[in-house]
Amino acid sequence: MAKNDARRNALTDAGIAVLAREGSRGLTHRAIDAEAEVPVGTTSNYFRSREALLHGLLKRIGARLAPTSQDLEARASDPPSRELFAAYTRDIVRRLTAQREVTLALFELRLEAARRPDLAEALGAWQRAGFDADVAFNTAAGLPGGRREIALFHYAIEGLVFDRLTSSIDPEGSTDDAVDAFVQGLLP
């Protein structure tokens, strides 16, 4: 298996673009080669099977959607409050909607996982680790809400982002207002 990390990232980024644009059925090694403008067979050298490719895409999506240290430090000195929780939540929604292609690819992977138990296992583990990290961050920051509330926020945010990136039920509605309403309704 090839070890060039820059090439691997370029291929997975091309795979994310194909997955977001064409869906799971359009995701092939050749389609990624064409998207990345590399010789036919390059993607297969890095990802020998479809399973390996899907796992590689999941790993890259996680890296691209992860908050940066600047994201986390931006409000680190602010006192814990519902308003701070709402600000962090708005940042998450902005990051997910700003990286439309990456988030759509994640939604596609989630749909694919409904049909592929091996992917469902890896995706589920990735999601649970992210959720646990969110709960730990919230607790360490002294923010309101516990595990139950963070789970409810995940459900609400994922629905909101899905709505904003696909066919919205309220395209003129404010995303920030929706987040503020979630905070108002879900936090004790």
Side-chain angles (χ1 to χ4, degrees), residues 94-152:
R94 268 196 234 27
R95 198 168 60 247
L96 291 170
T97 55
Q99 296 195 64
R100 182 179 196 278
E101 183 177 80
V102 180
T103 305
L104 286 174
L106 176 57
F107 286 138
E108 288 287 346
L109 278 182
R110 290 185 68 177
L111 291 170
E112 182 76 5
R115 297 178 288 277
R116 298 179 87 83
D118 61 310
L119 180 59
E121 184 177 323
L123 182 61
W126 178 78
Q127 287 177 288
R128 286 185 294 279
F131 173 69
D132 289 342
D134 289 347
V135 172
F137 174 82
N138 204 65
T139 302
L143 293 168
R147 194 167 184 83
R148 177 182 175 276
E149 289 79 16
I150 301 300
L152 293 173

Side-chain angles (χ1 to χ4, degrees), residues 42-57:
T42 301
T43 302
S44 323
N45 287 335
Y46 283 81
F47 305 99
R48 296 273 184 210
S49 65
R50 183 167 179 85
E51 288 72 33
L53 175 60
L54 293 172
H55 288 267
L57 292 176

Side-chain angles (χ1 to χ4, degrees), residues 125-176:
W126 178 78
Q127 287 177 288
R128 286 185 294 279
F131 173 69
D132 289 342
D134 289 347
V135 172
F137 174 82
N138 204 65
T139 302
L143 293 168
R147 194 167 184 83
R148 177 182 175 276
E149 289 79 16
I150 301 300
L152 293 173
F153 271 97
H154 271 260
Y155 305 145
I157 289 169
E158 289 173 14
L160 175 63
V161 169
F162 188 79
D163 178 83
R164 293 301 187 234
L165 297 181
T166 60
S167 56
S168 180
I169 60 172
D170 183 15
E172 303 305 317
S174 164
T175 302
D176 285 348

Side-chain angles (χ1 to χ4, degrees), residues 22-73:
E22 304 293 332
S24 184
R25 288 187 179 196
L27 183 69
T28 65
H29 287 83
R30 283 182 179 245
I32 294 171
D33 289 341
E35 182 75 21
E37 299 178 346
V38 296
V40 172
T42 301
T43 302
S44 323
N45 287 335
Y46 283 81
F47 305 99
R48 296 273 184 210
S49 65
R50 183 167 179 85
E51 288 72 33
L53 175 60
L54 293 172
H55 288 267
L57 292 176
L58 177 60
K59 181 178 178 182
R60 184 67 176 154
I61 287 169
R64 288 186 57 188
L65 290 178
T68 65
S69 57
Q70 293 86 359
D71 291 330
L72 298 175
E73 291 170 6

